Amino acid sequence: MFPLKTAFISPHLAGEAVALRLKLPLRLSCWLPKDILSLLLAIIGITVTSGVCYLTLGQAHPIFAYEDSYTAFRSKAEILTKAEIEQRELEEWNSRTNYKYRGQLISRPAKGVAHIKMTKWVNNRPVKINIVEINQKANSKLQIKPKTASEDVLNRRATIRNIAKTENSILAINGGYFKPQTGVPLGTLVIDKNVLTGPIYNRVALGINSDNTFSMDKSTIDITLKAKKLEIKADNINQPRMLSTYTLVYTEKWGKMSPPAPKYGIAIAIQDGKILEHGFGSVEIPKGGYAVVGPKQKLEPLLSAKNIKIDIKMSETFANSDHIIGGGPYLVKNGQMYVDIKEQKFGAINGKNPRTAIGYTENNELIIVTVDGREETSVGMTLWEISKLMKDLGCKYAMNLDGGGSSVIYVKGKIENTPAYREGIAISNAIVVNETSDETADTIANTGNNRYQ
């Protein structure tokens, strides 16, 4: 309790009863006995003092605030929370990136996107670098995903400008590896949870998650063909054959016809759980269905099966990923430089070359880098040199993407680097950044976790 201060009471005369400095009618003060008068005045003083304290505390201390006023204030704060947090994040992030890249040329093609151009000297040789940092916490409308050159089939190629223009993208960079002869991606590619291609050599991949976070790990795939009392494992989907013993699945994204069956092999076309045809060469891939191609001895039990189902699962690391794109090798792993060229079965790609790399920070800010190379004004980087760069930029995880003639970066309608060809070579797939409307952003945020199909 707060102590009652004696400032409200004053002694009149020594030896006399204590009384409040209140003027009472003379008759009343004379009529009342001295002790009763003192007691009455003391009670009045305490009552007045208590009232003053209550009113003072009620106005000054939040504990005593009226509930209705507090509720109104809280409701107003909740309405502004999302916008205020996003704006505060944007302002703080702009300040951080301005300081991080002080002295460099910085542009901001959209809220939450920073584009930096610089020339860095590595071993006394110049390297021209483009860096893009993306912060979705500063702009929830930003959408990051892979995109193929064609919506219909995998064996197509296009320039990055043409890929970006189909969605009016703010930004686009070249994506993963592909087979030059056909354009089919080599390695994991998942878009909107639809598995287009599976991994090769279990190389590292980037997962773009539904909650605006990222994942990175070596990629694996589990494909099972199921029927009553029958389960058959397949090795990959929409990828070239590496061994005659492999069982491969091909969807209509591959094209009209499946590849021919291997020696002593068979190809089976399946639609709606039923076998349409089989043969020892190629089969037509049915619309909405798929073809299975592999050793006859392994697949023959499937010929008599009914109600065949296919189940495809990606690595547990990517369980929350809407999109996955493969690359390799690692550049940064758990905050440390890490380049596993041999483990991921990459050939002699460690010389100074044009490079494209992608990674993310502890706070899930995406970092994209392109490096020009093979020219006097920019000699390129080795994998270890770009590994150090990605670590220095703050990446917790980072990986290499397709490089060389494929390395190209497109920002707001302009090719910002200097590839060997003016527009860059035609590529199979890219990573694009779009800015969605409020309605689209809400739809994406509320989309459930569909099964891979």
Side-chain angles (χ1 to χ4, degrees):
M1 293 295 294
F2 296 102
L4 184 64
K5 295 184 179 180
T6 56
F8 292 97
I9 303 175
S10 61
H12 282 186
L13 296 171
E16 295 291 328
V18 177
L20 284 174
R21 289 180 176 173
L22 297 175
K23 292 184 177 181
L24 297 175
L26 182 62
R27 292 178 182 178
L28 180 63
S29 59
C30 295
W31 180 80
L32 291 172
K34 186 182 299 184
D35 291 340
I36 296 175
L37 177 63
S38 300
L39 178 62
L40 179 62
L41 292 175
I43 292 171
I44 293 172
I46 292 172
T47 303
V48 172
T49 303
S50 300
V52 171
C53 290
Y54 175 80
L55 290 176
T56 303
L57 289 171
Q59 293 178 2
H61 202 284
I63 295 175
F64 294 89
Y66 290 108
E67 184 177 354
D68 290 344
S69 300
Y70 174 71
T71 303
F73 172 79
R74 185 178 62 180
S75 299
K76 184 177 179 181
E78 286 176 349
I79 291 172
L80 299 175
T81 293
K82 182 179 178 181
E84 285 182 337
I85 290 175
E86 197 164 297
Q87 182 61 30
R88 187 180 299 115
E89 176 68 28
L90 178 64
E91 291 171 359
E92 292 177 354
W93 180 72
N94 284 345
S95 297
R96 292 199 306 271
T97 49
N98 283 338
Y99 180 79
K100 181 177 179 179
Y101 298 106
R102 58 193 181 278
Q104 307 298 335
L105 182 61
I106 306 176
S107 64
R108 299 186 184 275
K111 286 170 52 178
V113 180
H115 174 217
I116 302 94
K117 295 177 74 74
M118 67 169 65
T119 298
K120 184 179 178 68
W121 290 80
V122 181
N123 297 325
N124 298 319
R125 302 292 299 277
V127 181
K128 291 191 293 185
I129 303 170
N130 279 271
I131 303 168
V132 173
E133 291 207 17
I134 301 170
N135 184 349
Q136 291 175 285
K137 294 187 294 295
N139 184 359
S140 57
K141 296 180 183 179
L142 294 175
Q143 180 189 20
I144 306 161
K145 67 175 186 178
K147 185 170 178 58
T148 53
S150 168
E151 294 290 336
D152 301 320
V153 291
L154 296 170
N155 58 346
R156 294 287 188 275
R157 295 194 297 162
T159 64
I160 198 149
R161 182 185 297 277
N162 287 335
I163 294 175
K165 282 171 63 177
T166 59
E167 294 192 9
N168 194 27
S169 299
I170 299 167
L171 167 78
I173 59 163
N174 63 288
Y177 300 98
F178 59 92
K179 194 169 184 178
Q181 298 86 346
T182 63
V184 174
L186 294 174
T188 303
L189 186 60
V190 176
I191 300 178
D192 294 324
K193 291 190 177 290
N194 182 25
V195 180
L196 302 181
T197 55
I200 58 172
Y201 304 122
N202 296 337
R203 286 175 177 168
V204 63
L206 170 74
I208 301 167
N209 303 328
S210 56
D211 58 355
N212 291 340
T213 62
F214 304 96
S215 304
M216 191 172 289
D217 199 358
K218 287 190 174 181
S219 179
T220 60
I221 193 168
D222 187 330
I223 305 173
T224 308
L225 296 161
K226 297 180 179 180
K228 188 176 181 180
K229 297 182 180 180
L230 179 65
E231 287 192 2
I232 297 175
K233 291 288 187 181
D235 296 284
N236 217 327
I237 180 170
N238 289 334
Q239 290 289 262
R241 178 172 297 280
M242 294 183 179
L243 294 173
S244 61
T245 55
Y246 277 4
T247 296
L248 302 173
V249 174
Y250 294 96
T251 69
E252 57 187 308
K253 291 284 189 180
W254 176 266
K256 185 176 180 180
M257 303 295 294
S258 74
K263 189 177 181 180
Y264 309 118
I266 191 172
I268 304 172
I270 302 172
Q271 184 183 53
D272 297 328
K274 299 176 182 179
I275 295 176
L276 299 185
E277 65 170 313
H278 67 276
F280 301 106
S282 297
V283 294
E284 185 175 350
I285 303 173
K287 293 287 185 181
Y290 54 93
V292 184
V293 184
K296 179 182 176 183
Q297 184 178 5
K298 183 177 180 179
L299 293 180
E300 203 166 26
L302 201 62
L303 295 176
S304 58
K306 296 179 180 179
N307 194 24
I308 301 166
K309 296 181 180 179
I310 184 168
D311 184 38
I312 303 176
K313 295 178 181 176
M314 302 301 299
S315 314
E316 186 62 29
T317 301
F318 305 111
N320 193 36
S321 298
D322 288 335
H323 318 289
I324 310 171
I325 186 166
Y330 266 115
L331 297 175
V332 179
K333 186 176 181 181
N334 201 25
Q336 301 299 317
M337 292 172 61
Y338 182 78
V339 183
D340 53 343
I341 304 172
K342 291 183 179 179
E343 292 88 338
Q344 297 195 36
K345 293 182 171 51
F346 283 102
I349 65 167
N350 197 31
K352 286 184 179 291
N353 287 299
R355 301 282 180 194
T356 303
I358 192 166
Y360 57 95
T361 68
E362 183 76 37
N363 295 322
N364 279 290
E365 296 158 349
L366 193 70
I367 296 182
I368 293 168
V369 171
T370 62
V371 171
D372 288 344
R374 300 174 186 168
E375 55 184 80
E376 286 299 319
T377 56
S378 185
V379 297
M381 282 186 166
T382 67
L383 288 170
W384 281 103
E385 286 168 349
I386 197 169
S387 168
K388 183 178 187 306
L389 174 62
M390 298 302 281
K391 180 180 182 296
D392 290 346
L393 291 174
C395 288
K396 183 179 180 181
Y397 285 89
M399 72 179 191
N400 191 55
L401 289 169
D402 193 9
S406 298
S407 287
V408 61
I409 183 169
Y410 167 101
V411 182
K412 281 281 189 177
K414 183 181 177 183
I415 304 298
E416 290 287 353
N417 67 327
T418 310
Y421 299 90
R422 185 176 178 182
E423 291 284 305
I425 66 171
I427 57 176
S428 163
N429 59 92
I431 297 174
V432 299
V433 180
N434 305 322
E435 190 168 23
T436 65
S437 65
D438 290 327
E439 294 79 6
T440 306
D442 290 340
T443 300
I444 293 169
N446 294 327
T447 300
N449 292 328
N450 302 322
R451 290 180 61 83
Y452 291 109
Q453 47 181 305

